[in-house]
Amino acid sequence: MVEEELDGEPWFHDIKEYIRMGVYPIQATGDQKRTIQRLASGFFFSGGVLYKRTPDLGLLRCIDATQATAVMTEVHSGVCGTHMSGYVLAKKILRAGYYWLTMKRDCITFVRKCHQFMEI
């Protein structure tokens, strides 16, 4: 359900490498370097895992497309509760401690494709 990364790397790869080693991607332009630097200030790297900082000083684990699909499936129709709308699903995933950039859009798309949600 979540769009896979085109280059085979997770969406947070450039941010993670910048925080870990202070290097930019080889093909990055000046604007892209500034964007990576700006984005990196909102993330935290610990134990090989990248986390997004929240305003209340919490940390959300950054996950890739494969993990995001599994989390959406489990939260939407698994033990975490009943079927819900896309916005509620995104908020519940945030409360569970996960994050990816296109979370809201992906959750709305995921719920629209859910056959049990369509029957309600």
Side-chain angles (χ1 to χ4, degrees):
M1 297 296 167
V2 181
E3 293 179 23
E4 293 290 332
E5 293 80 9
L6 298 175
D7 60 357
E9 298 291 344
W11 64 268
F12 54 83
H13 176 72
D14 295 337
I15 297 168
K16 187 175 178 179
E17 290 303 306
Y18 176 76
I19 293 172
R20 271 186 52 221
M21 299 187 302
V23 297
Y24 298 102
I26 297 168
Q27 73 281 7
T29 64
D31 288 340
Q32 291 170 334
K33 289 178 181 179
R34 281 190 294 279
T35 300
I36 290 170
Q37 187 176 15
R38 182 180 49 82
L39 284 172
S41 67
F43 291 87
F44 175 75
F45 184 72
S46 175
V49 178
L50 188 68
Y51 297 93
K52 174 155 179 48
R53 290 185 180 115
T54 62
D56 62 352
L57 302 177
L59 296 174
L60 302 172
R61 183 184 182 125
C62 296
I63 58 176
D64 62 15
T66 306
Q67 294 168 327
T69 301
V71 167
M72 282 191 296
T73 302
E74 185 61 32
V75 172
H76 183 65
S77 58
V79 296
C80 293
T82 60
H83 294 268
M84 61 205 75
S85 71
Y87 291 109
V88 174
L89 178 60
K91 288 184 184 252
K92 205 163 196 179
I93 291 170
L94 284 172
R95 276 186 265 132
Y98 298 102
Y99 177 79
W100 67 96
L101 283 177
T102 58
M103 180 183 290
K104 283 185 184 176
R105 183 183 71 197
D106 295 338
C107 287
I108 291 168
T109 303
F110 180 83
V111 168
R112 284 183 183 158
K113 292 182 181 180
C114 176
H115 69 282
Q116 290 181 346
F117 189 75
M118 299 292 261
E119 294 172 1
I120 296 176

